[in-house]
Short mmCIF file of all heavy atoms in Angstrom, two decimals:
data_model
loop_
_atom_site.label_atom_id
_atom_site.label_comp_id
_atom_site.label_asym_id
_atom_site.label_seq_id
_atom_site.Cartn_x
_atom_site.Cartn_y
_atom_site.Cartn_z
N MET A 88 -11.14 78.80 169.50
CA MET A 88 -12.17 78.22 168.54
C MET A 88 -11.95 76.72 168.42
O MET A 88 -10.89 76.29 167.82
CB MET A 88 -12.05 78.91 167.14
CG MET A 88 -13.42 79.27 166.67
SD MET A 88 -13.31 79.85 164.99
CE MET A 88 -13.51 81.62 165.27
N PRO A 89 -12.82 75.97 168.89
CA PRO A 89 -12.62 74.50 168.87
C PRO A 89 -12.85 73.99 167.41
O PRO A 89 -13.65 74.47 166.72
CB PRO A 89 -13.66 73.90 169.86
CG PRO A 89 -14.69 74.92 169.94
CD PRO A 89 -14.08 76.28 169.53
N GLY A 90 -12.10 72.94 167.07
CA GLY A 90 -12.25 72.38 165.76
C GLY A 90 -11.26 72.95 164.74
O GLY A 90 -10.96 72.22 163.76
N ILE A 91 -10.85 74.17 164.89
CA ILE A 91 -9.89 74.74 164.02
C ILE A 91 -8.52 74.82 164.76
O ILE A 91 -8.25 75.69 165.48
CB ILE A 91 -10.25 76.16 163.51
CG1 ILE A 91 -11.58 76.02 162.80
CG2 ILE A 91 -9.21 76.77 162.61
CD1 ILE A 91 -12.26 77.34 162.57
N VAL A 92 -7.68 73.78 164.40
CA VAL A 92 -6.30 73.78 164.95
C VAL A 92 -5.40 74.32 163.87
O VAL A 92 -5.41 73.97 162.74
CB VAL A 92 -5.94 72.25 165.21
CG1 VAL A 92 -4.62 72.26 165.91
CG2 VAL A 92 -6.97 71.64 166.13
N PRO A 93 -4.55 75.27 164.34
CA PRO A 93 -3.59 75.82 163.41
C PRO A 93 -2.65 74.78 162.85
O PRO A 93 -2.03 74.00 163.63
CB PRO A 93 -2.78 76.93 164.19
CG PRO A 93 -3.08 76.55 165.65
CD PRO A 93 -4.42 75.87 165.68
N HIS A 94 -2.65 74.65 161.57
CA HIS A 94 -1.75 73.66 160.94
C HIS A 94 -1.43 74.05 159.55
O HIS A 94 -2.04 74.94 158.94
CB HIS A 94 -2.45 72.28 161.01
CG HIS A 94 -3.55 72.17 160.01
ND1 HIS A 94 -4.81 72.72 160.30
CD2 HIS A 94 -3.65 71.68 158.79
CE1 HIS A 94 -5.56 72.49 159.26
NE2 HIS A 94 -4.94 71.86 158.33
N ARG A 95 -0.46 73.36 158.98
CA ARG A 95 -0.10 73.57 157.63
C ARG A 95 -0.26 72.21 156.88
O ARG A 95 -0.47 71.18 157.53
CB ARG A 95 1.37 74.07 157.49
CG ARG A 95 1.55 75.44 158.13
CD ARG A 95 2.97 75.87 158.08
NE ARG A 95 3.39 75.99 156.71
CZ ARG A 95 4.57 76.41 156.33
NH1 ARG A 95 5.43 76.86 157.23
NH2 ARG A 95 4.90 76.56 155.07
N HIS A 96 0.04 72.35 155.61
CA HIS A 96 0.01 71.06 154.80
C HIS A 96 1.42 70.86 154.22
O HIS A 96 2.02 71.81 153.70
CB HIS A 96 -1.07 71.12 153.75
CG HIS A 96 -2.43 71.09 154.30
ND1 HIS A 96 -3.08 69.95 154.66
CD2 HIS A 96 -3.26 72.12 154.65
CE1 HIS A 96 -4.28 70.27 155.18
NE2 HIS A 96 -4.39 71.58 155.15
N CYS A 97 1.87 69.64 154.19
CA CYS A 97 3.05 69.28 153.56
C CYS A 97 3.00 69.84 152.10
O CYS A 97 2.07 69.51 151.33
CB CYS A 97 3.31 67.80 153.59
SG CYS A 97 4.66 67.20 152.64
N ILE A 98 4.04 70.56 151.68
CA ILE A 98 4.01 71.14 150.33
C ILE A 98 4.23 70.14 149.22
O ILE A 98 4.14 70.38 148.04
CB ILE A 98 4.92 72.34 150.22
CG1 ILE A 98 6.34 71.90 150.56
CG2 ILE A 98 4.44 73.50 151.06
CD1 ILE A 98 7.36 73.10 150.33
N VAL A 99 4.58 68.89 149.66
CA VAL A 99 4.81 67.89 148.64
C VAL A 99 3.58 66.98 148.52
O VAL A 99 3.06 66.78 147.42
CB VAL A 99 6.05 67.01 149.04
CG1 VAL A 99 6.24 65.82 147.98
CG2 VAL A 99 7.28 67.89 149.06
N CYS A 100 3.11 66.39 149.66
CA CYS A 100 1.98 65.43 149.51
C CYS A 100 0.72 66.01 150.08
O CYS A 100 -0.38 65.37 149.96
CB CYS A 100 2.34 64.15 150.17
SG CYS A 100 2.56 64.32 151.97
N GLY A 101 0.70 67.19 150.77
CA GLY A 101 -0.51 67.78 151.29
C GLY A 101 -1.03 67.26 152.62
O GLY A 101 -2.09 67.64 153.04
N LYS A 102 -0.21 66.45 153.24
CA LYS A 102 -0.62 65.92 154.58
C LYS A 102 -0.53 67.04 155.62
O LYS A 102 0.29 67.89 155.51
CB LYS A 102 0.37 64.84 154.93
CG LYS A 102 -0.28 63.51 155.41
CD LYS A 102 0.72 62.41 155.36
CE LYS A 102 1.26 62.13 156.80
NZ LYS A 102 2.11 60.94 156.74
N ALA A 103 -1.48 67.02 156.60
CA ALA A 103 -1.48 68.01 157.63
C ALA A 103 -0.30 67.81 158.59
O ALA A 103 0.03 66.71 158.91
CB ALA A 103 -2.74 67.89 158.52
N ILE A 104 0.38 68.93 158.85
CA ILE A 104 1.67 68.93 159.65
C ILE A 104 1.62 70.03 160.64
O ILE A 104 0.76 70.91 160.64
CB ILE A 104 2.89 68.99 158.73
CG1 ILE A 104 2.76 70.14 157.79
CG2 ILE A 104 3.15 67.61 158.13
CD1 ILE A 104 4.01 70.44 156.97
N GLU A 105 2.62 70.05 161.51
CA GLU A 105 2.74 71.12 162.56
C GLU A 105 2.98 72.46 161.76
O GLU A 105 3.59 72.49 160.68
CB GLU A 105 3.95 70.87 163.42
CG GLU A 105 3.82 69.57 164.26
CD GLU A 105 2.71 69.79 165.34
OE1 GLU A 105 2.78 70.81 165.98
OE2 GLU A 105 1.87 68.88 165.47
N PRO A 106 2.48 73.55 162.46
CA PRO A 106 2.55 74.88 161.79
C PRO A 106 4.03 75.29 161.55
O PRO A 106 4.32 76.13 160.67
CB PRO A 106 1.93 75.83 162.76
CG PRO A 106 1.15 75.00 163.71
CD PRO A 106 1.78 73.60 163.66
N ASP A 107 4.94 74.80 162.27
CA ASP A 107 6.38 75.26 162.15
C ASP A 107 7.17 74.34 161.15
O ASP A 107 8.39 74.40 161.07
CB ASP A 107 7.07 75.33 163.44
CG ASP A 107 7.02 74.03 164.22
OD1 ASP A 107 6.21 73.14 163.99
OD2 ASP A 107 7.92 73.84 165.07
N GLN A 108 6.44 73.41 160.55
CA GLN A 108 7.16 72.49 159.63
C GLN A 108 6.69 72.79 158.20
O GLN A 108 5.67 73.37 157.97
CB GLN A 108 6.83 71.04 160.02
CG GLN A 108 7.53 70.61 161.29
CD GLN A 108 7.23 69.10 161.56
OE1 GLN A 108 6.27 68.56 161.18
NE2 GLN A 108 8.28 68.55 162.22
N THR A 109 7.52 72.33 157.28
CA THR A 109 7.17 72.54 155.85
C THR A 109 6.93 71.17 155.22
O THR A 109 6.10 71.13 154.26
CB THR A 109 8.34 73.20 155.15
OG1 THR A 109 8.82 74.27 155.96
CG2 THR A 109 7.91 73.72 153.81
N PHE A 110 7.50 70.11 155.73
CA PHE A 110 7.35 68.77 155.16
C PHE A 110 6.85 67.80 156.24
O PHE A 110 7.10 67.94 157.42
CB PHE A 110 8.66 68.31 154.54
CG PHE A 110 9.23 69.23 153.60
CD1 PHE A 110 10.29 70.08 154.09
CD2 PHE A 110 8.85 69.35 152.30
CE1 PHE A 110 10.90 71.03 153.19
CE2 PHE A 110 9.37 70.26 151.41
CZ PHE A 110 10.43 71.09 151.89
N CYS A 111 6.17 66.73 155.80
CA CYS A 111 5.67 65.74 156.77
C CYS A 111 6.80 64.75 157.07
O CYS A 111 6.77 64.10 158.11
CB CYS A 111 4.47 65.07 156.25
SG CYS A 111 4.74 63.99 154.85
N SER A 112 7.72 64.62 156.17
CA SER A 112 8.74 63.55 156.37
C SER A 112 10.09 64.00 155.69
O SER A 112 10.07 64.86 154.83
CB SER A 112 8.25 62.21 155.95
OG SER A 112 8.03 62.27 154.49
N GLU A 113 11.08 63.16 156.00
CA GLU A 113 12.40 63.36 155.38
C GLU A 113 12.27 63.07 153.86
O GLU A 113 12.92 63.67 153.09
CB GLU A 113 13.41 62.48 156.03
CG GLU A 113 14.82 62.86 155.87
CD GLU A 113 15.13 64.32 156.34
OE1 GLU A 113 14.56 64.79 157.21
OE2 GLU A 113 16.00 64.85 155.68
N GLU A 114 11.40 62.07 153.55
CA GLU A 114 11.27 61.69 152.08
C GLU A 114 10.69 62.91 151.33
O GLU A 114 11.10 63.16 150.18
CB GLU A 114 10.34 60.54 151.97
CG GLU A 114 11.01 59.17 152.18
CD GLU A 114 11.04 58.75 153.65
OE1 GLU A 114 10.05 58.34 154.16
OE2 GLU A 114 12.05 59.00 154.37
N CYS A 115 9.73 63.54 151.91
CA CYS A 115 9.08 64.68 151.14
C CYS A 115 10.05 65.79 151.04
O CYS A 115 10.07 66.52 149.98
CB CYS A 115 7.82 65.10 151.87
SG CYS A 115 6.41 64.09 151.47
N LYS A 116 10.86 66.06 152.02
CA LYS A 116 11.91 67.07 151.95
C LYS A 116 12.87 66.78 150.81
O LYS A 116 13.27 67.63 150.03
CB LYS A 116 12.67 67.13 153.28
CG LYS A 116 13.55 68.35 153.44
CD LYS A 116 14.23 68.31 154.82
CE LYS A 116 14.99 69.58 155.00
NZ LYS A 116 16.02 69.83 154.01
N LYS A 117 13.22 65.50 150.73
CA LYS A 117 14.23 65.09 149.64
C LYS A 117 13.55 65.23 148.34
O LYS A 117 14.22 65.74 147.36
CB LYS A 117 14.66 63.63 149.91
CG LYS A 117 15.79 63.53 150.80
CD LYS A 117 16.26 62.07 150.95
CE LYS A 117 17.02 61.89 152.25
NZ LYS A 117 16.83 60.55 152.77
N ALA A 118 12.27 64.83 148.27
CA ALA A 118 11.55 64.95 146.92
C ALA A 118 11.53 66.45 146.50
O ALA A 118 11.67 66.80 145.31
CB ALA A 118 10.18 64.38 147.10
N TRP A 119 11.25 67.30 147.48
CA TRP A 119 11.16 68.75 147.16
C TRP A 119 12.52 69.25 146.73
O TRP A 119 12.62 70.06 145.75
CB TRP A 119 10.68 69.47 148.37
CG TRP A 119 10.45 70.91 148.19
CD1 TRP A 119 11.26 71.95 148.52
CD2 TRP A 119 9.35 71.52 147.56
NE1 TRP A 119 10.76 73.13 148.11
CE2 TRP A 119 9.58 72.89 147.48
CE3 TRP A 119 8.14 71.06 146.87
CZ2 TRP A 119 8.64 73.79 146.91
CZ3 TRP A 119 7.30 71.92 146.37
CH2 TRP A 119 7.54 73.26 146.36
N ASP A 120 13.53 68.92 147.41
CA ASP A 120 14.88 69.39 147.10
C ASP A 120 15.23 68.98 145.66
O ASP A 120 15.82 69.72 144.84
CB ASP A 120 15.94 68.80 148.00
CG ASP A 120 16.06 69.58 149.32
OD1 ASP A 120 15.52 70.75 149.30
OD2 ASP A 120 16.71 69.15 150.23
N LYS A 121 14.84 67.76 145.35
CA LYS A 121 15.19 67.17 144.03
C LYS A 121 14.41 67.97 142.96
O LYS A 121 14.95 68.40 141.94
CB LYS A 121 14.72 65.75 143.96
CG LYS A 121 15.68 64.83 143.11
CD LYS A 121 15.29 63.37 143.35
CE LYS A 121 15.06 62.63 142.03
NZ LYS A 121 14.43 61.27 142.29
N GLU A 122 13.17 68.21 143.23
CA GLU A 122 12.33 68.90 142.24
C GLU A 122 12.83 70.35 142.04
O GLU A 122 12.94 70.86 140.97
CB GLU A 122 10.86 68.90 142.75
CG GLU A 122 9.88 69.62 141.88
CD GLU A 122 9.70 69.09 140.54
OE1 GLU A 122 10.14 67.89 140.35
OE2 GLU A 122 9.19 69.76 139.60
N ARG A 123 13.26 70.98 143.15
CA ARG A 123 13.72 72.35 143.08
C ARG A 123 15.01 72.42 142.32
O ARG A 123 15.21 73.33 141.49
CB ARG A 123 13.98 72.89 144.51
CG ARG A 123 13.67 74.34 144.69
CD ARG A 123 14.01 74.81 146.13
NE ARG A 123 15.32 74.28 146.45
CZ ARG A 123 15.81 74.37 147.65
NH1 ARG A 123 15.17 75.04 148.60
NH2 ARG A 123 16.97 73.92 147.97
N LYS A 124 15.90 71.42 142.45
CA LYS A 124 17.17 71.41 141.74
C LYS A 124 16.88 71.25 140.23
O LYS A 124 17.47 71.87 139.39
CB LYS A 124 18.06 70.27 142.20
CG LYS A 124 19.00 70.74 143.30
CD LYS A 124 19.93 69.64 143.69
CE LYS A 124 20.41 69.87 145.12
NZ LYS A 124 20.44 68.67 145.91
N ARG A 125 15.92 70.37 139.95
CA ARG A 125 15.57 70.07 138.54
C ARG A 125 15.03 71.32 137.86
O ARG A 125 15.31 71.64 136.75
CB ARG A 125 14.44 68.92 138.52
CG ARG A 125 14.35 68.22 137.20
CD ARG A 125 13.21 67.24 137.30
NE ARG A 125 11.96 67.93 137.50
CZ ARG A 125 11.23 68.45 136.53
NH1 ARG A 125 11.65 68.35 135.26
NH2 ARG A 125 10.08 69.01 136.73
N GLN A 126 14.15 72.04 138.61
CA GLN A 126 13.58 73.26 138.08
C GLN A 126 14.61 74.35 137.94
O GLN A 126 14.57 75.05 136.90
CB GLN A 126 12.46 73.80 139.09
CG GLN A 126 11.31 72.90 139.14
CD GLN A 126 9.95 73.66 139.00
OE1 GLN A 126 9.96 74.85 139.22
NE2 GLN A 126 8.94 72.98 138.69
N ARG A 127 15.59 74.47 138.77
CA ARG A 127 16.60 75.41 138.67
C ARG A 127 17.47 75.09 137.50
O ARG A 127 17.80 75.98 136.66
CB ARG A 127 17.53 75.42 139.93
CG ARG A 127 18.27 76.76 140.07
CD ARG A 127 19.36 76.63 141.08
NE ARG A 127 20.24 75.50 140.84
CZ ARG A 127 21.11 75.04 141.69
NH1 ARG A 127 21.18 75.50 142.86
NH2 ARG A 127 21.85 74.02 141.33
N ASN A 128 17.84 73.82 137.32
CA ASN A 128 18.63 73.41 136.08
C ASN A 128 17.83 73.75 134.82
O ASN A 128 18.48 74.23 133.85
CB ASN A 128 18.92 71.96 136.11
CG ASN A 128 19.98 71.59 137.16
OD1 ASN A 128 20.64 72.45 137.72
ND2 ASN A 128 20.09 70.30 137.50
N PHE A 129 16.56 73.50 134.81
CA PHE A 129 15.77 73.86 133.66
C PHE A 129 15.76 75.30 133.34
O PHE A 129 15.86 75.72 132.17
CB PHE A 129 14.37 73.27 133.87
CG PHE A 129 13.44 73.49 132.69
CD1 PHE A 129 13.65 72.68 131.58
CD2 PHE A 129 12.41 74.43 132.73
CE1 PHE A 129 12.78 72.89 130.46
CE2 PHE A 129 11.61 74.60 131.66
CZ PHE A 129 11.75 73.84 130.51
N THR A 130 15.64 76.14 134.43
CA THR A 130 15.61 77.57 134.20
C THR A 130 16.99 78.05 133.60
O THR A 130 17.00 78.86 132.74
CB THR A 130 15.34 78.28 135.58
OG1 THR A 130 14.20 77.77 136.11
CG2 THR A 130 15.28 79.75 135.39
N ILE A 131 18.08 77.49 134.12
CA ILE A 131 19.40 77.86 133.62
C ILE A 131 19.49 77.42 132.20
O ILE A 131 20.02 78.22 131.32
CB ILE A 131 20.46 77.23 134.55
CG1 ILE A 131 20.52 77.87 135.91
CG2 ILE A 131 21.82 77.32 133.83
CD1 ILE A 131 21.38 77.10 136.91
N PHE A 132 19.04 76.27 131.88
CA PHE A 132 19.08 75.73 130.55
C PHE A 132 18.33 76.66 129.56
O PHE A 132 18.82 77.02 128.50
CB PHE A 132 18.49 74.32 130.53
CG PHE A 132 18.37 73.72 129.11
CD1 PHE A 132 19.52 73.32 128.46
CD2 PHE A 132 17.14 73.53 128.54
CE1 PHE A 132 19.40 72.74 127.19
CE2 PHE A 132 17.06 73.01 127.29
CZ PHE A 132 18.18 72.59 126.59
N MET A 133 17.08 77.06 129.94
CA MET A 133 16.26 77.93 129.14
C MET A 133 16.92 79.27 128.94
O MET A 133 16.88 79.86 127.82
CB MET A 133 14.90 78.12 129.80
CG MET A 133 14.00 76.94 129.74
SD MET A 133 13.74 76.37 128.04
CE MET A 133 12.47 77.45 127.52
N PHE A 134 17.59 79.80 130.01
CA PHE A 134 18.18 81.08 129.95
C PHE A 134 19.42 80.96 128.89
O PHE A 134 19.58 81.88 128.08
CB PHE A 134 18.77 81.43 131.30
CG PHE A 134 19.41 82.81 131.36
CD1 PHE A 134 18.71 83.94 131.15
CD2 PHE A 134 20.81 82.89 131.57
CE1 PHE A 134 19.42 85.15 131.16
CE2 PHE A 134 21.48 84.03 131.65
CZ PHE A 134 20.71 85.23 131.46
N LEU A 135 20.16 79.86 128.96
CA LEU A 135 21.27 79.74 128.07
C LEU A 135 20.81 79.62 126.59
O LEU A 135 21.38 80.14 125.66
CB LEU A 135 22.13 78.51 128.44
CG LEU A 135 22.88 78.65 129.74
CD1 LEU A 135 23.67 77.38 130.08
CD2 LEU A 135 23.89 79.86 129.63
N MET A 136 19.66 78.85 126.42
CA MET A 136 19.10 78.66 125.09
C MET A 136 18.67 80.02 124.58
O MET A 136 18.92 80.36 123.40
CB MET A 136 17.84 77.82 125.18
CG MET A 136 18.13 76.35 125.37
SD MET A 136 18.81 75.64 123.87
CE MET A 136 17.37 75.38 122.98
N PHE A 137 18.12 80.90 125.41
CA PHE A 137 17.62 82.20 125.04
C PHE A 137 18.80 83.05 124.60
O PHE A 137 18.78 83.73 123.64
CB PHE A 137 16.87 82.77 126.18
CG PHE A 137 16.49 84.24 125.95
CD1 PHE A 137 15.44 84.50 125.08
CD2 PHE A 137 17.10 85.33 126.60
CE1 PHE A 137 15.05 85.82 124.79
CE2 PHE A 137 16.73 86.64 126.36
CZ PHE A 137 15.72 86.89 125.49
N LEU A 138 19.88 83.02 125.40
CA LEU A 138 21.11 83.84 125.09
C LEU A 138 21.66 83.32 123.73
O LEU A 138 22.08 84.15 122.90
CB LEU A 138 22.12 83.58 126.24
CG LEU A 138 21.94 84.47 127.46
CD1 LEU A 138 23.18 84.25 128.40
CD2 LEU A 138 21.86 85.90 127.09
N GLY A 139 21.69 81.99 123.52
CA GLY A 139 22.25 81.46 122.29
C GLY A 139 21.44 81.91 121.16
O GLY A 139 21.94 82.25 120.10
N LEU A 140 20.12 81.90 121.28
CA LEU A 140 19.22 82.27 120.18
C LEU A 140 19.47 83.76 119.89
O LEU A 140 19.51 84.17 118.71
CB LEU A 140 17.78 82.03 120.70
CG LEU A 140 16.72 81.95 119.51
CD1 LEU A 140 16.99 80.72 118.74
CD2 LEU A 140 15.36 81.97 120.11
N LEU A 141 19.54 84.59 120.87
CA LEU A 141 19.75 86.00 120.75
C LEU A 141 21.11 86.25 119.99
O LEU A 141 21.17 87.15 119.12
CB LEU A 141 19.83 86.57 122.13
CG LEU A 141 19.42 88.07 122.25
CD1 LEU A 141 17.94 88.21 121.99
CD2 LEU A 141 19.77 88.66 123.62
N PHE A 142 22.09 85.45 120.40
CA PHE A 142 23.38 85.55 119.81
C PHE A 142 23.34 85.25 118.25
O PHE A 142 23.84 86.03 117.44
CB PHE A 142 24.33 84.55 120.53
CG PHE A 142 25.76 84.78 120.26
CD1 PHE A 142 26.43 85.84 120.89
CD2 PHE A 142 26.51 84.02 119.46
CE1 PHE A 142 27.75 86.07 120.76
CE2 PHE A 142 27.88 84.21 119.26
CZ PHE A 142 28.50 85.27 119.91
N ILE A 143 22.62 84.16 117.99
CA ILE A 143 22.49 83.69 116.57
C ILE A 143 21.78 84.81 115.77
O ILE A 143 22.14 85.17 114.70
CB ILE A 143 21.81 82.41 116.49
CG1 ILE A 143 22.67 81.31 117.03
CG2 ILE A 143 21.33 82.09 115.09
CD1 ILE A 143 21.95 79.99 117.34
N LEU A 144 20.66 85.30 116.37
CA LEU A 144 19.87 86.29 115.71
C LEU A 144 20.66 87.58 115.39
O LEU A 144 20.60 88.22 114.33
CB LEU A 144 18.65 86.66 116.54
CG LEU A 144 17.49 85.68 116.49
CD1 LEU A 144 16.39 86.08 117.44
CD2 LEU A 144 16.93 85.57 115.07
N MET A 145 21.48 87.99 116.36
CA MET A 145 22.29 89.23 116.27
C MET A 145 23.33 89.11 115.14
O MET A 145 23.62 90.07 114.38
CB MET A 145 22.99 89.53 117.54
CG MET A 145 22.09 90.35 118.49
SD MET A 145 22.85 90.57 120.11
CE MET A 145 24.16 91.71 119.73
N PHE A 146 23.89 87.88 114.97
CA PHE A 146 25.02 87.70 113.99
C PHE A 146 24.53 87.22 112.67
O PHE A 146 25.26 87.20 111.69
CB PHE A 146 26.06 86.85 114.58
CG PHE A 146 26.88 87.58 115.60
CD1 PHE A 146 26.56 87.49 116.95
CD2 PHE A 146 27.97 88.31 115.19
CE1 PHE A 146 27.34 88.17 117.93
CE2 PHE A 146 28.72 88.97 116.17
CZ PHE A 146 28.36 88.95 117.54
N SER A 147 23.19 86.88 112.61
CA SER A 147 22.73 86.37 111.25
C SER A 147 21.75 87.41 110.71
O SER A 147 21.23 87.16 109.57
CB SER A 147 22.02 85.03 111.49
OG SER A 147 20.83 85.17 112.24
N ALA A 148 21.56 88.51 111.43
CA ALA A 148 20.67 89.53 110.87
C ALA A 148 21.24 90.13 109.53
O ALA A 148 22.43 90.45 109.53
CB ALA A 148 20.46 90.58 111.95
N PRO A 149 20.35 90.34 108.54
CA PRO A 149 20.89 90.92 107.35
C PRO A 149 21.25 92.41 107.56
O PRO A 149 20.55 93.09 108.22
CB PRO A 149 19.72 90.76 106.37
CG PRO A 149 18.50 90.62 107.24
CD PRO A 149 18.99 89.92 108.48
N ARG A 150 22.39 92.80 106.95
CA ARG A 150 22.81 94.12 107.07
C ARG A 150 22.42 94.90 105.90
O ARG A 150 22.51 94.47 104.79
CB ARG A 150 24.33 94.17 107.23
CG ARG A 150 24.74 93.72 108.57
CD ARG A 150 26.13 93.07 108.48
NE ARG A 150 26.30 92.05 109.55
CZ ARG A 150 26.87 92.25 110.71
NH1 ARG A 150 27.33 93.41 110.99
NH2 ARG A 150 26.99 91.33 111.54
ZN1 ZN B 216 4.62 64.93 152.67
#
């Protein structure tokens, strides 16, 4: 089918790239890694906050 070339889009900036690639450049790969790490840290932080809150609730509940 002419006109439709299999391709993907860079998941960071949306630029068209080769089907076997995920990023258009090393910069976008780095940006993605950074964002992923930030998100993971945030998830861990939220989980710890949740545990802490649960802990406080369990020990401050009226008997
Ligand atoms: Zn890109």
Side-chain angles (χ1 to χ4, degrees):
M88 224 187 258
I91 299 168
V92 184
H94 71 282
R95 294 177 63 172
H96 292 276
C97 172
I98 55 176
V99 176
C100 68
K102 232 163 99 175
I104 47 169
E105 295 292 313
D107 60 337
Q108 289 187 329
T109 316
F110 308 98
C111 69
S112 64
E113 201 54 33
E114 277 87 79
C115 278
K116 192 182 186 301
K117 275 183 200 148
W119 183 260
D120 276 348
K121 213 167 132 192
E122 177 66 14
R123 215 183 44 186
K124 268 183 203 137
R125 200 183 65 82
Q126 291 227 342
R127 202 193 55 192
N128 286 347
F129 182 70
T130 305
I131 291 168
F132 175 74
M133 286 304 278
F134 181 67
L135 289 178
M136 284 289 280
F137 175 73
L138 279 185
L140 200 69
L141 207 70
F142 197 74
I143 290 165
L144 281 175
M145 273 172 73
F146 285 93
S147 65
R150 285 152 209 265

